[in-house]
Amino acid sequence: MTQKVRKAVFPAAGLGTRFLPATKASPKEMLPIVDKPMIQYAVEEAEACNIKEFIMITGKSKRAIEDHFDYAWELEENLKNKGKKNLLREIQRLAKHQFAYIRQGAPLGLGHAILCAKPFVKDEPFAVILSDDIIDPDDSLLKEMIDISGRHGATVLALQRVPKAEIHRYGVIAGTEVEKNVYKISDMVEKPKASEAPSDLAIIGRYILTPDIFSIIEKTSPGKGGEIQLTDALKSLLQKKPVYGYLFEGKRYDGGDKIGYLKATVELALKNPTVSKQFKEYLLSTISPMITKEQP
Ligand code: UTP
């Protein structure tokens, strides 16, 4: 019988250089989208799939992540005394979960970051969530992936079609569609040139992995950028076992990039009941005069 996915790994030890200077002393994963840090969206996504254990891979300047998911007695007392029950409930809710923190030591690559989780994951399938890839909370990408992984008893990667000009930023697959939006992967390449990409299907930051990936990562040499790449390890896995990709057609924002982060902020603010009306009015009043001016 296929094992349930009960654990999620959140690699968060990267340097976040695209967001410097903001990320010099603060984690990129703590950058807020409206009123929640990116990593909280990721944790809530796992929570919605009944995942019970949350394994964070952190590094230097990342301690704010631990504090964010911990109890905060003084703040809680303050909210209690002021009768702010909803806020109190909101900040206490996540702290009730079981979190484990592992320091990566040095950012040696995504594959290496995942390997750090080995003692906590042990021998069961697990999810990997890159919190700077923001999935619209109304979408159920991770649930679909867990379901596909359960049916096939295999590794499943999230895919999205990306324009040619952006393909060099991703791991890219070759594969055959075996059921609607499910691809059996035959090859993958990390960050190819547009002319060498095997398709426009890029791997995005959600994975359901099986524990046999750990021994493969252990044998994987540094690849692109001198980092131990998860894509290289998955490519080796392909030689032994089937690997599937699920084509996600919903909304995803690359929160590790300034424009992607701004798009996520605008679109999620427009959906947020506490600010959407006012924010929409503000956007319209700011943009409408620009559009009128541009018209001949
Ligand atoms: P990125 O490629 O976005 O790298 O990593 P980064 O360092 O976070 O950001 P830039 O490119 O310098 O701006 C993808 C994910 O993998 C994690 C990152 O934290 C991010 O969630 N990661 C990457 C690690 O945990 N460890 C690593 O060694 C590398």
Side-chain angles (χ1 to χ4, degrees), residues 120-209:
F120 287 82
V121 170
K122 298 195 180 98
D123 197 23
E124 50 184 294
F126 61 103
V128 171
I129 302 184
L130 305 190
S131 60
D132 52 359
D133 250 346
I134 300 154
I135 302 297
D136 188 309
D138 292 337
D139 276 311
S140 55
L141 168 62
L142 201 64
K143 270 200 193 104
E144 314 278 352
M145 293 175 69
I146 292 174
D147 182 50
I148 297 163
S149 170
R151 273 191 284 123
H152 293 274
T155 292
V156 179
L157 322 177
L159 306 173
Q160 208 168 41
R161 290 197 191 281
V162 302
K164 247 190 177 169
E166 290 170 25
I167 206 92
H168 65 278
R169 291 172 24 200
Y170 294 88
V172 182
I173 67 123
T176 318
E177 193 171 12
V178 290
E179 54 188 91
K180 190 174 171 0
N181 289 348
V182 179
Y183 288 76
K184 185 148 188 265
I185 299 176
S186 55
D187 196 10
M188 45 186 107
V189 191
E190 180 64 18
K191 301 190 171 73
K193 287 186 194 145
S195 58
E196 286 161 18
S199 72
D200 64 346
L201 295 169
I203 303 169
I204 58 169
R206 299 293 181 278
Y207 308 79
I208 306 298
L209 301 179

Coordinates of all heavy atoms in Angstrom, one line a residue, residues 120-209:
F120 N 15.1 13.4 9.5 CA 13.8 13.7 9.9 C 12.7 13.0 9.1 O 11.7 12.6 9.5 CB 13.5 15.2 10.0 CG 14.2 15.9 11.1 CD1 15.6 16.2 11.0 CD2 13.6 16.1 12.3 CE1 16.3 16.8 12.0 CE2 14.3 16.7 13.4 CZ 15.6 17.1 13.2
V121 N 13.0 12.9 7.8 CA 12.0 12.3 6.8 C 12.0 10.8 7.0 O 11.0 10.1 7.0 CB 12.4 12.7 5.4 CG1 11.5 11.9 4.4 CG2 12.1 14.2 5.2
K122 N 13.2 10.2 7.2 CA 13.4 8.8 7.4 C 12.9 8.1 6.1 O 13.3 8.5 5.0 CB 12.8 8.2 8.6 CG 13.4 8.9 9.9 CD 13.0 8.1 11.1 CE 13.7 8.7 12.3 NZ 12.7 9.6 13.1
D123 N 12.0 7.1 6.3 CA 11.7 6.2 5.2 C 10.3 6.4 4.6 O 9.5 5.4 4.6 CB 11.9 4.8 5.6 CG 12.1 3.8 4.5 OD1 12.4 4.3 3.4 OD2 11.8 2.6 4.6
E124 N 9.9 7.6 4.3 CA 8.5 7.8 3.8 C 8.5 8.8 2.7 O 9.4 9.7 2.7 CB 7.5 8.1 4.9 CG 7.9 9.2 5.9 CD 6.9 9.4 7.0 OE1 5.8 9.7 6.7 OE2 7.3 9.1 8.2
P125 N 7.4 8.8 1.9 CA 7.4 9.9 0.9 C 7.1 11.2 1.5 O 6.5 11.3 2.6 CB 6.1 9.5 0.0 CG 5.3 8.5 0.9 CD 6.3 7.9 1.8
F126 N 7.6 12.3 0.9 CA 7.4 13.6 1.5 C 7.3 14.7 0.5 O 7.6 14.5 -0.7 CB 8.6 13.9 2.4 CG 10.0 13.9 1.7 CD1 10.6 15.1 1.4 CD2 10.6 12.7 1.3 CE1 11.8 15.2 0.7 CE2 11.8 12.8 0.6 CZ 12.4 14.0 0.3
A127 N 6.7 15.8 0.9 CA 6.5 16.9 0.0 C 7.7 17.9 0.1 O 8.3 18.0 1.2 CB 5.2 17.7 0.3
V128 N 8.1 18.6 -0.9 CA 9.1 19.7 -0.8 C 8.4 20.9 -1.4 O 7.8 20.9 -2.5 CB 10.3 19.4 -1.7 CG1 11.2 20.6 -1.7 CG2 11.1 18.2 -1.1
I129 N 8.4 22.0 -0.6 CA 7.8 23.2 -1.0 C 8.8 24.3 -1.0 O 9.4 24.6 0.1 CB 6.6 23.5 0.0 CG1 5.6 22.3 0.0 CG2 5.9 24.8 -0.4 CD1 4.4 22.6 0.8
L130 N 9.0 25.0 -2.1 CA 9.8 26.2 -2.1 C 8.9 27.4 -1.9 O 8.1 27.7 -2.8 CB 10.5 26.3 -3.5 CG 11.4 25.1 -3.9 CD1 12.2 25.4 -5.1 CD2 12.3 24.6 -2.8
S131 N 9.1 28.0 -0.8 CA 8.1 29.0 -0.4 C 8.2 30.3 -1.3 O 7.2 31.1 -1.2 CB 8.3 29.4 1.1 OG 9.6 29.9 1.3
D132 N 9.3 30.5 -2.0 CA 9.3 31.6 -2.9 C 8.5 31.4 -4.2 O 8.4 32.3 -5.0 CB 10.7 32.2 -3.1 CG 11.7 31.1 -3.6 OD1 11.2 30.0 -3.8 OD2 12.8 31.5 -3.8
D133 N 8.1 30.2 -4.4 CA 7.1 29.9 -5.5 C 5.7 30.0 -4.9 O 5.4 29.0 -4.1 CB 7.4 28.5 -6.1 CG 8.0 28.6 -7.5 OD1 8.0 29.7 -8.1 OD2 8.5 27.5 -8.0
I134 N 5.0 31.0 -5.1 CA 3.8 31.2 -4.4 C 2.6 30.7 -5.3 O 2.5 31.1 -6.5 CB 3.5 32.7 -4.1 CG1 4.7 33.2 -3.2 CG2 2.2 32.9 -3.4 CD1 4.9 34.6 -3.3
I135 N 1.8 29.8 -4.8 CA 0.7 29.2 -5.5 C -0.6 29.9 -4.9 O -0.7 30.0 -3.7 CB 0.6 27.7 -5.3 CG1 1.9 27.0 -5.7 CG2 -0.6 27.1 -5.9 CD1 2.2 27.1 -7.2
D136 N -1.4 30.3 -5.8 CA -2.7 30.9 -5.3 C -3.3 30.0 -4.3 O -3.6 28.8 -4.5 CB -3.6 31.2 -6.5 CG -4.8 32.0 -6.1 OD1 -5.5 31.6 -5.1 OD2 -5.1 33.0 -6.8
P137 N -3.6 30.5 -3.0 CA -4.2 29.7 -2.0 C -5.5 29.0 -2.4 O -5.9 28.0 -1.8 CB -4.4 30.6 -0.8 CG -3.5 31.8 -1.1 CD -3.4 31.9 -2.6
D138 N -6.2 29.5 -3.4 CA -7.5 28.9 -3.9 C -7.2 27.7 -4.8 O -8.1 26.9 -5.1 CB -8.3 29.9 -4.7 CG -8.9 31.0 -3.8 OD1 -8.9 30.7 -2.6 OD2 -9.2 32.0 -4.3
D139 N -5.9 27.4 -5.2 CA -5.6 26.3 -6.0 C -5.2 25.1 -5.2 O -4.8 25.3 -4.1 CB -4.5 26.6 -7.0 CG -5.0 27.3 -8.3 OD1 -6.0 26.8 -8.8 OD2 -4.5 28.4 -8.6
S140 N -5.3 23.9 -5.8 CA -5.1 22.7 -5.0 C -3.9 21.9 -5.6 O -4.0 20.6 -5.6 CB -6.3 21.9 -4.8 OG -6.8 21.6 -6.2
L141 N -2.9 22.5 -6.0 CA -1.8 21.9 -6.7 C -1.2 20.7 -5.9 O -1.1 19.6 -6.4 CB -0.7 22.9 -7.0 CG 0.7 22.4 -7.5 CD1 0.6 21.6 -8.7 CD2 1.7 23.5 -7.6
L142 N -0.9 21.0 -4.6 CA -0.2 20.0 -3.8 C -1.1 18.7 -3.6 O -0.6 17.6 -3.7 CB 0.3 20.6 -2.5 CG 1.4 19.8 -1.8 CD1 2.7 19.9 -2.6 CD2 1.6 20.4 -0.4
K143 N -2.4 19.0 -3.4 CA -3.3 17.9 -3.2 C -3.3 17.0 -4.5 O -3.3 15.8 -4.4 CB -4.7 18.4 -3.0 CG -5.1 18.7 -1.6 CD -6.6 18.8 -1.4 CE -6.9 19.3 -0.1 NZ -7.4 20.7 -0.1
E144 N -3.4 17.6 -5.6 CA -3.4 16.8 -6.9 C -2.1 16.0 -7.0 O -2.2 14.8 -7.4 CB -3.5 17.7 -8.1 CG -4.4 18.9 -8.1 CD -5.8 18.5 -8.5 OE1 -6.0 17.3 -8.9 OE2 -6.8 19.3 -8.3
M145 N -1.0 16.6 -6.6 CA 0.3 15.9 -6.8 C 0.3 14.7 -5.8 O 0.8 13.6 -6.2 CB 1.4 16.9 -6.5 CG 1.6 18.0 -7.5 SD 2.9 19.1 -7.1 CE 4.3 18.2 -7.2
I146 N -0.2 14.9 -4.6 CA -0.2 13.8 -3.6 C -1.0 12.7 -4.1 O -0.7 11.5 -4.0 CB -0.6 14.3 -2.2 CG1 0.4 15.3 -1.6 CG2 -0.9 13.1 -1.3 CD1 0.0 15.9 -0.3
D147 N -2.1 13.0 -4.8 CA -3.0 12.0 -5.3 C -2.3 11.2 -6.4 O -2.4 10.0 -6.5 CB -4.3 12.8 -5.8 CG -5.3 11.8 -6.4 OD1 -5.6 10.9 -5.6 OD2 -5.8 12.0 -7.5
I148 N -1.7 11.9 -7.3 CA -1.0 11.3 -8.5 C 0.1 10.4 -7.9 O 0.3 9.2 -8.3 CB -0.4 12.3 -9.5 CG1 -1.5 13.1 -10.1 CG2 0.4 11.6 -10.6 CD1 -1.1 14.4 -10.8
S149 N 0.9 10.9 -7.0 CA 2.0 10.1 -6.4 C 1.4 8.8 -5.7 O 2.0 7.8 -5.9 CB 2.7 11.0 -5.4 OG 3.6 10.2 -4.6
G150 N 0.3 9.0 -5.0 CA -0.3 7.8 -4.4 C -0.8 6.8 -5.4 O -0.5 5.6 -5.3
R151 N -1.3 7.2 -6.5 CA -1.9 6.3 -7.5 C -0.7 5.6 -8.2 O -0.8 4.4 -8.6 CB -2.7 7.1 -8.6 CG -4.1 7.2 -8.2 CD -5.0 7.7 -9.3 NE -4.8 9.2 -9.5 CZ -4.5 9.7 -10.7 NH1 -4.3 8.9 -11.7 NH2 -4.3 11.0 -10.8
H152 N 0.4 6.3 -8.5 CA 1.5 5.7 -9.2 C 2.6 5.1 -8.3 O 3.5 4.5 -8.8 CB 2.1 6.7 -10.2 CG 1.1 7.0 -11.3 ND1 1.0 6.3 -12.5 CD2 0.3 8.1 -11.4 CE1 0.1 6.9 -13.3 NE2 -0.4 7.9 -12.7
G153 N 2.5 5.5 -7.0 CA 3.5 5.1 -6.1 C 4.9 5.6 -6.5 O 5.9 5.0 -6.5
A154 N 4.9 6.9 -7.0 CA 6.1 7.5 -7.6 C 6.3 8.9 -7.3 O 5.4 9.6 -6.7 CB 6.0 7.3 -9.1
T155 N 7.5 9.4 -7.6 CA 7.8 10.8 -7.5 C 7.0 11.7 -8.5 O 6.8 11.3 -9.6 CB 9.4 10.9 -7.8 OG1 10.1 10.3 -6.8 CG2 9.8 12.4 -8.0
V156 N 6.6 12.8 -8.0 CA 5.8 13.7 -8.9 C 6.4 15.1 -8.8 O 6.6 15.6 -7.7 CB 4.3 13.7 -8.5 CG1 3.5 14.7 -9.4 CG2 3.7 12.3 -8.7
L157 N 6.6 15.8 -9.9 CA 7.1 17.2 -9.9 C 6.0 18.1 -10.5 O 5.3 17.7 -11.4 CB 8.4 17.3 -10.8 CG 9.4 16.1 -10.8 CD1 10.5 16.4 -11.8 CD2 9.9 15.9 -9.4
A158 N 6.0 19.3 -10.0 CA 5.0 20.3 -10.6 C 5.7 20.9 -11.8 O 6.9 21.3 -11.7 CB 4.7 21.3 -9.5
L159 N 4.9 21.1 -12.8 CA 5.4 21.7 -14.1 C 4.5 22.9 -14.4 O 3.3 22.9 -14.1 CB 5.3 20.7 -15.2 CG 5.9 19.3 -15.0 CD1 5.6 18.4 -16.2 CD2 7.4 19.5 -14.9
Q160 N 5.1 23.8 -15.1 CA 4.3 24.9 -15.7 C 5.0 25.2 -17.0 O 6.2 25.1 -17.2 CB 4.3 26.1 -14.8 CG 3.1 26.9 -14.9 CD 2.9 28.0 -13.9 OE1 3.9 28.6 -13.4 NE2 1.7 28.2 -13.4
R161 N 4.1 25.6 -18.0 CA 4.6 26.1 -19.3 C 5.2 27.5 -19.1 O 4.6 28.3 -18.5 CB 3.5 26.2 -20.3 CG 3.0 24.8 -20.7 CD 2.3 24.8 -22.1 NE 1.6 23.6 -22.3 CZ 2.2 22.5 -22.7 NH1 3.5 22.5 -23.0 NH2 1.5 21.3 -22.9
V162 N 6.5 27.7 -19.6 CA 7.1 29.0 -19.4 C 7.5 29.5 -20.8 O 7.9 28.7 -21.6 CB 8.2 29.1 -18.4 CG1 7.8 28.6 -17.0 CG2 9.4 28.3 -18.9
P163 N 7.5 30.8 -21.0 CA 7.9 31.4 -22.3 C 9.4 31.1 -22.5 O 10.2 31.0 -21.5 CB 7.7 32.9 -22.2 CG 7.0 33.1 -20.8 CD 7.0 31.8 -20.0
K164 N 9.8 31.0 -23.8 CA 11.2 30.7 -24.2 C 12.2 31.6 -23.5 O 13.2 31.2 -23.0 CB 11.3 30.9 -25.7 CG 11.6 29.7 -26.4 CD 11.9 30.0 -27.9 CE 12.2 28.6 -28.5 NZ 12.3 28.7 -29.9
A165 N 11.9 32.9 -23.4 CA 12.8 33.9 -22.8 C 13.1 33.6 -21.3 O 14.1 34.0 -20.8 CB 12.2 35.3 -22.9
E166 N 12.3 32.8 -20.7 CA 12.5 32.5 -19.2 C 13.0 31.1 -18.9 O 13.3 30.8 -17.8 CB 11.2 32.7 -18.5 CG 10.8 34.2 -18.4 CD 9.4 34.3 -17.8 OE1 8.9 33.5 -17.1 OE2 8.7 35.4 -18.2
I167 N 13.0 30.3 -20.0 CA 13.3 28.8 -19.8 C 14.7 28.6 -19.1 O 14.8 27.6 -18.4 CB 13.1 28.1 -21.1 CG1 12.7 26.6 -20.8 CG2 14.3 28.1 -22.0 CD1 11.3 26.3 -20.7
H168 N 15.6 29.5 -19.4 CA 17.0 29.2 -18.9 C 17.1 29.3 -17.3 O 18.1 29.1 -16.7 CB 18.0 30.3 -19.5 CG 17.6 31.7 -19.1 ND1 16.7 32.4 -19.7 CD2 18.2 32.5 -18.1 CE1 16.6 33.6 -19.1 NE2 17.5 33.7 -18.2
R169 N 16.0 29.8 -16.7 CA 16.0 29.9 -15.2 C 15.5 28.6 -14.5 O 15.5 28.6 -13.3 CB 15.1 31.1 -14.8 CG 15.7 32.4 -15.2 CD 14.8 33.6 -15.1 NE 13.8 33.4 -14.1 CZ 12.7 34.2 -14.0 NH1 12.5 35.1 -14.9 NH2 11.7 34.0 -13.1
Y170 N 15.0 27.6 -15.3 CA 14.4 26.5 -14.7 C 15.0 25.1 -15.1 O 15.8 25.1 -16.0 CB 12.9 26.4 -15.3 CG 12.1 27.5 -14.8 CD1 12.0 28.7 -15.6 CD2 11.3 27.4 -13.7 CE1 11.2 29.8 -15.2 CE2 10.5 28.5 -13.3 CZ 10.4 29.7 -14.0 OH 9.7 30.7 -13.6
G171 N 14.6 24.1 -14.3 CA 14.8 22.7 -14.8 C 13.7 22.4 -15.8 O 12.6 22.8 -15.5
V172 N 14.1 21.8 -16.9 CA 13.1 21.6 -18.0 C 13.0 20.1 -18.3 O 14.0 19.4 -18.3 CB 13.5 22.4 -19.2 CG1 12.4 22.2 -20.3 CG2 13.6 23.9 -18.9
I173 N 11.8 19.6 -18.5 CA 11.6 18.1 -18.8 C 11.3 17.8 -20.3 O 10.8 18.7 -21.0 CB 10.5 17.5 -17.9 CG1 9.1 18.1 -18.3 CG2 10.7 17.8 -16.4 CD1 8.1 17.0 -18.7
A174 N 11.6 16.5 -20.6 CA 11.0 15.9 -21.8 C 10.1 14.8 -21.3 O 10.4 14.2 -20.3 CB 12.1 15.4 -22.7
G175 N 9.0 14.6 -21.9 CA 8.1 13.6 -21.4 C 6.9 13.4 -22.3 O 6.7 14.1 -23.3
T176 N 6.1 12.4 -22.0 CA 4.9 12.1 -22.7 C 3.7 12.2 -21.8 O 3.7 11.7 -20.7 CB 4.9 10.6 -23.2 OG1 6.2 10.3 -23.6 CG2 3.9 10.3 -24.3
E177 N 2.6 12.8 -22.3 CA 1.4 13.0 -21.5 C 0.7 11.6 -21.4 O 0.4 11.0 -22.5 CB 0.5 14.0 -22.1 CG -0.6 14.5 -21.2 CD -1.4 15.7 -21.7 OE1 -1.2 16.0 -22.9 OE2 -2.2 16.2 -20.9
V178 N 0.5 11.1 -20.2 CA -0.1 9.8 -20.1 C -1.6 9.8 -19.6 O -2.3 8.9 -19.7 CB 0.7 8.9 -19.1 CG1 2.0 8.5 -19.7 CG2 1.0 9.5 -17.8
E179 N -1.9 10.9 -19.0 CA -3.3 11.2 -18.7 C -3.4 12.7 -18.6 O -2.3 13.4 -18.7 CB -3.8 10.6 -17.4 CG -3.0 10.9 -16.2 CD -3.3 10.1 -14.9 OE1 -2.8 9.0 -14.7 OE2 -4.2 10.6 -14.2
K180 N -4.6 13.3 -18.6 CA -4.7 14.8 -18.7 C -3.8 15.5 -17.7 O -3.9 15.3 -16.5 CB -6.1 15.2 -18.5 CG -6.3 16.7 -18.9 CD -7.7 17.1 -18.8 CE -8.0 18.6 -19.0 NZ -7.0 19.6 -19.1
N181 N -2.8 16.2 -18.3 CA -1.9 17.0 -17.5 C -0.9 16.2 -16.7 O -0.2 16.8 -15.8 CB -2.6 18.0 -16.6 CG -3.3 19.2 -17.4 OD1 -3.0 19.3 -18.6 ND2 -4.1 19.9 -16.7
V182 N -0.8 14.9 -16.9 CA 0.2 14.1 -16.2 C 1.2 13.6 -17.2 O 0.8 12.9 -18.2 CB -0.5 12.9 -15.4 CG1 0.6 12.1 -14.7 CG2 -1.5 13.5 -14.4
Y183 N 2.5 13.9 -17.0 CA 3.5 13.5 -18.0 C 4.4 12.4 -17.3 O 4.8 12.6 -16.2 CB 4.4 14.7 -18.3 CG 3.6 15.7 -19.2 CD1 2.6 16.5 -18.7 CD2 3.9 15.7 -20.6 CE1 1.9 17.4 -19.5 CE2 3.1 16.6 -21.4 CZ 2.2 17.4 -20.9 OH 1.5 18.3 -21.7
K184 N 4.7 11.4 -18.1 CA 5.8 10.5 -17.7 C 7.1 11.1 -18.2 O 7.2 11.3 -19.4 CB 5.5 9.1 -18.3 CG 6.5 8.1 -17.8 CD 5.8 6.7 -17.8 CE 6.7 5.7 -17.1 NZ 7.5 5.0 -18.0
I185 N 8.0 11.4 -17.3 CA 9.2 12.1 -17.7 C 10.3 11.2 -18.3 O 10.5 10.1 -17.7 CB 9.7 12.9 -16.5 CG1 8.6 13.9 -16.0 CG2 11.0 13.7 -16.8 CD1 8.9 14.7 -14.8
S186 N 10.9 11.6 -19.4 CA 11.9 10.8 -19.9 C 13.3 11.4 -19.8 O 14.4 10.8 -19.9 CB 11.7 10.5 -21.4 OG 11.5 11.7 -22.1
D187 N 13.3 12.7 -19.6 CA 14.6 13.4 -19.4 C 14.4 14.8 -18.7 O 13.3 15.3 -18.7 CB 15.3 13.6 -20.8 CG 16.8 14.0 -20.7 OD1 17.4 13.8 -19.6 OD2 17.4 14.4 -21.7
M188 N 15.5 15.3 -18.2 CA 15.4 16.7 -17.6 C 16.7 17.3 -17.7 O 17.8 16.7 -17.6 CB 14.8 16.7 -16.2 CG 15.3 15.7 -15.2 SD 14.3 15.8 -13.7 CE 13.3 14.4 -13.8
V189 N 16.7 18.7 -17.8 CA 17.9 19.5 -18.0 C 17.8 20.7 -17.0 O 16.8 21.3 -17.0 CB 18.1 20.0 -19.4 CG1 19.5 20.6 -19.6 CG2 17.8 18.9 -20.4
E190 N 18.9 20.9 -16.3 CA 18.8 22.1 -15.4 C 19.3 23.3 -16.1 O 20.3 23.4 -16.8 CB 19.8 21.8 -14.2 CG 19.9 22.9 -13.2 CD 18.5 23.2 -12.4 OE1 17.6 22.4 -12.4 OE2 18.4 24.3 -11.9
K191 N 18.4 24.4 -16.1 CA 18.7 25.7 -16.7 C 19.3 25.6 -18.1 O 20.5 26.1 -18.3 CB 19.6 26.5 -15.7 CG 19.0 26.7 -14.3 CD 19.8 27.7 -13.5 CE 19.1 28.1 -12.2 NZ 19.0 27.1 -11.2
P192 N 18.6 25.1 -19.0 CA 19.1 25.0 -20.4 C 19.0 26.3 -21.1 O 18.2 27.2 -20.8 CB 18.2 24.0 -21.1 CG 16.9 24.2 -20.4 CD 17.2 24.5 -19.0
K193 N 19.8 26.5 -22.2 CA 19.7 27.6 -23.1 C 18.3 27.4 -23.8 O 18.0 26.2 -24.1 CB 20.8 27.6 -24.2 CG 22.1 28.1 -23.6 CD 23.1 28.2 -24.8 CE 24.5 28.3 -24.3 NZ 25.4 27.6 -25.2
A194 N 17.7 28.4 -24.3 CA 16.4 28.3 -24.9 C 16.5 27.3 -26.1 O 15.6 26.5 -26.3 CB 15.8 29.6 -25.4
S195 N 17.6 27.4 -26.8 CA 17.7 26.5 -28.0 C 17.9 25.1 -27.7 O 17.8 24.2 -28.5 CB 18.9 27.0 -28.8 OG 20.1 27.0 -28.0
E196 N 18.3 24.8 -26.4 CA 18.6 23.4 -26.0 C 17.6 22.8 -25.1 O 17.7 21.6 -24.7 CB 20.0 23.3 -25.3 CG 21.1 23.5 -26.3 CD 22.5 23.9 -25.7 OE1 22.6 23.7 -24.4 OE2 23.3 24.4 -26.4
A197 N 16.5 23.6 -24.8 CA 15.5 23.1 -23.9 C 14.7 22.0 -24.6 O 14.2 22.2 -25.7 CB 14.6 24.2 -23.4
P198 N 14.4 20.9 -23.9 CA 13.7 19.8 -24.5 C 12.2 20.0 -24.6 O 11.5 19.3 -25.4 CB 13.9 18.6 -23.6 CG 14.3 19.2 -22.3 CD 15.0 20.5 -22.5
S199 N 11.7 21.1 -24.0 CA 10.2 21.4 -24.1 C 10.1 22.8 -23.4 O 11.0 23.4 -23.0 CB 9.4 20.4 -23.4 OG 9.5 20.6 -21.9
D200 N 8.8 23.2 -23.3 CA 8.6 24.5 -22.5 C 8.0 24.1 -21.1 O 7.4 25.0 -20.5 CB 7.6 25.4 -23.3 CG 6.2 24.8 -23.5 OD1 6.1 23.6 -23.3 OD2 5.3 25.6 -23.9
L201 N 8.2 22.9 -20.7 CA 7.6 22.4 -19.4 C 8.7 22.5 -18.3 O 9.6 21.7 -18.3 CB 7.1 21.0 -19.5 CG 5.9 20.8 -20.5 CD1 5.7 19.3 -20.7 CD2 4.7 21.4 -19.9
A202 N 8.5 23.5 -17.5 CA 9.5 23.8 -16.5 C 9.1 23.3 -15.1 O 7.9 23.2 -14.8 CB 9.7 25.3 -16.4
I203 N 10.1 22.8 -14.4 CA 9.8 22.3 -13.0 C 9.7 23.5 -12.1 O 10.6 24.4 -12.0 CB 11.0 21.4 -12.5 CG1 11.2 20.3 -13.5 CG2 10.7 20.9 -11.2 CD1 12.5 19.5 -13.3
I204 N 8.6 23.6 -11.3 CA 8.4 24.6 -10.4 C 8.5 24.1 -9.0 O 8.6 22.9 -8.8 CB 7.0 25.4 -10.6 CG1 5.8 24.4 -10.6 CG2 7.1 26.1 -12.0 CD1 4.5 25.1 -10.6
G205 N 8.4 25.0 -8.0 CA 8.8 24.6 -6.6 C 7.9 23.7 -5.8 O 7.7 24.0 -4.6
R206 N 7.3 22.6 -6.3 CA 6.5 21.7 -5.6 C 6.9 20.3 -6.0 O 6.9 20.0 -7.2 CB 5.0 21.8 -5.8 CG 4.4 23.2 -5.3 CD 4.5 23.4 -3.9 NE 4.0 24.7 -3.5 CZ 4.6 25.8 -3.5 NH1 5.8 25.9 -4.0 NH2 4.0 26.9 -3.1
Y207 N 7.3 19.4 -5.1 CA 7.7 18.0 -5.4 C 7.1 17.1 -4.4 O 7.0 17.4 -3.2 CB 9.2 17.9 -5.2 CG 10.1 19.0 -5.9 CD1 10.2 20.2 -5.4 CD2 10.7 18.7 -7.1 CE1 11.0 21.2 -6.1 CE2 11.5 19.6 -7.8 CZ 11.6 20.9 -7.3 OH 12.4 21.8 -7.9
I208 N 6.7 15.9 -4.9 CA 6.4 14.8 -3.9 C 7.6 13.8 -4.2 O 7.7 13.2 -5.3 CB 5.1 14.1 -4.2 CG1 3.9 15.2 -4.2 CG2 4.8 13.0 -3.1 CD1 3.7 15.9 -2.9
L209 N 8.4 13.6 -3.2 CA 9.6 12.7 -3.4 C 9.5 11.5 -2.6 O 8.8 11.4 -1.6 CB 10.8 13.5 -3.0 CG 11.1 14.8 -3.7 CD1 12.4 15.5 -3.2 CD2 11.3 14.6 -5.2

